[in-house]
Amino acid sequence: MTRRETKPFGSAGRVLVAVAVLLAAVLAAVPATARAQVGIARGTVCSLEVEKCPAEGQGFHLALVARMDAAGKLTAVPALEDAVTETGIDPATFSEATDAQTLSAAASSYLGYVASGKGSFDEKDATVAGGKASFAGLEPGMYLLTADPATVGGSTYTALPNLVIVSRVDGSTYATDCQVEAKFEVRPAETQHNRVTKLWQGDSASTRPQSVQVAIYNGDQLYQEVTLDASNNWTFAWDGEGNWSVREKDVPAGYTCSVLMTRGDSESGQDGMDFTLTNTAPTGKHENPRTPGSISNTGDPTSPVVPAALLCAGGVLVLLGLAGRRREEGRA
């Protein structure tokens, strides 16, 4: 009987080992969220602490605009349906990965809807004490965070609105006790000169409405309704300090309306709040700016990386098998 001699790995064996190492590396690189989904238990209660608040006694407000399901997906509350339709900004496109600039832009557009729908957004209030404003008993979701202007020592502290998501992803779990730093604009206390302006995009003057109605709110109180049209250059101005927001009433069919909220400076003579309402015709031939809420999809378990790697590895194995068969036939 002839004893078969066992030889160490040849080139084919080394290639097989390399393929195995490659597959292990690719699978290890798949985000943890793609391999194991984290669930939020029913009845989870969250808290939010607003930090670095310089004005004691300043009032902060939260309004629930979207609920979060067990998988972390956001769905707009019924009271926000008009805002989603008329602005084209849907909370379902937001996640913990959404950048702060996108959230801030969406907050400016939602602000007037929340102000006009007081009592419909599960609102909560808190007062700054010890440099912090604390909210407890929050259900998981996305909240609009606002604050009343506060004047301390001759300076006025104004916090621009923002959207905050609780609970938050923390590794492989959800953190229910959340913190956010307040961002303030600080200016000398003085009379504010405010303005709202209507802009049109993607249409023509001959097809757009002759006028629009805009409601101006101070907090949740209606301050004034104004008509913007060509006769006033689509602009209205008013004086006074307040927690201002605006909402266009009855956005024309075929348009979406976004709101840009900025603060001017005393040197330009526009040292109050400046609101720009842009009505966009989606079918217009124009270059669209980045849509608020558009975010990259991270941690997608359907990512093409793994299938592509498996396909490549399979191709290598097939080639190795064909090469081995030819060598066997050559020996025969």
Side-chain angles (χ1 to χ4, degrees):
M1 182 176 65
T2 302
R3 186 176 63 181
R4 179 176 298 174
E5 183 179 355
T6 302
K7 296 182 179 180
F9 276 167
S11 60
R14 288 193 293 272
V15 172
L16 286 173
V17 172
V19 170
V21 172
L22 171 64
L23 285 175
V26 170
L27 292 174
V30 177
T33 53
R35 300 195 301 269
Q37 298 296 321
V38 179
I40 302 176
R42 182 185 298 274
T44 294
V45 177
C46 306
S47 65
L48 177 68
E49 190 169 75
V50 185
E51 301 178 331
K52 297 186 178 180
C53 303
E56 291 292 297
Q58 184 175 22
F60 275 80
H61 314 284
L62 277 183
L64 179 66
V65 295
R67 289 187 165 86
M68 181 183 290
D69 65 14
K73 182 179 178 181
L74 294 167
T75 302
V77 299
L80 197 72
E81 290 180 356
D82 285 348
V84 174
T85 300
E86 296 177 356
T87 68
I89 305 172
D90 192 340
T93 63
F94 297 149
S95 75
E96 185 63 29
T98 306
D99 62 87
Q101 183 179 0
T102 298
L103 290 174
S104 179
S108 295
S109 293
Y110 286 164
L111 186 59
Y113 291 89
V114 173
S116 64
K118 178 70 174 178
S120 303
F121 290 91
D122 192 15
E123 297 94 345
K124 294 184 180 295
D125 303 318
T127 301
V128 174
K132 299 178 180 180
S134 301
F135 296 91
L138 305 177
E139 68 171 284
M142 184 170 70
Y143 292 81
L144 178 68
L145 176 65
T146 59
D148 301 327
T151 300
V152 178
S155 296
T156 298
Y157 295 84
T158 303
L160 295 180
N162 207 352
L163 291 171
V164 181
I165 298 174
V166 296
S167 56
R168 295 180 177 174
V169 176
D170 182 14
S172 60
T173 62
Y174 278 88
T176 56
D177 298 324
C178 306
Q179 296 81 36
V180 63
E181 289 188 9
K183 303 297 183 182
F184 289 94
E185 291 184 343
V186 185
R187 296 177 178 273
E190 56 189 5
T191 301
Q192 293 186 3
H193 305 287
N194 311 289
R195 179 176 62 185
V196 58
T197 303
K198 164 59 62 182
L199 297 181
W200 301 89
Q201 183 172 330
D203 66 349
S204 63
S206 61
T207 59
R208 70 180 57 133
Q210 297 298 308
S211 65
V212 296
Q213 299 294 314
V214 176
I216 302 171
Y217 293 88
N218 186 357
D220 58 5
Q221 299 298 312
L222 178 64
Y223 171 74
Q224 189 173 351
E225 288 189 5
V226 298
T227 300
L228 302 184
D229 55 28
S231 67
N232 54 26
N233 201 27
W234 300 94
T235 299
F236 176 78
W238 73 100
D239 291 342
E241 182 179 306
N243 187 14
W244 302 111
S245 62
V246 299
R247 174 184 174 180
E248 180 175 341
K249 302 185 65 177
D250 301 322
V251 175
Y255 289 86
T256 57
C257 179
S258 62
V259 180
L260 176 63
M261 179 179 177
T262 59
R263 177 176 285 278
D265 55 68
S266 56
E267 293 181 359
S268 66
Q270 185 65 33
D271 51 355
M273 301 310 301
D274 193 351
F275 297 92
T276 303
L277 283 71
T278 302
N279 277 15
T280 302
T283 56
K285 296 181 179 180
H286 60 279
E287 184 177 351
N288 286 318
R290 181 183 179 189
T291 302
S294 61
I295 60 175
S296 58
N297 187 11
T298 58
D300 186 355
T302 61
S303 170
V305 174
V306 174
L310 294 174
L311 183 60
C312 293
V316 172
L317 293 175
V318 171
L319 292 175
L320 287 174
L322 292 174
R325 179 177 296 180
R326 291 195 182 96
R327 285 197 297 271
E328 292 296 330
E329 291 174 351
R331 295 192 187 102

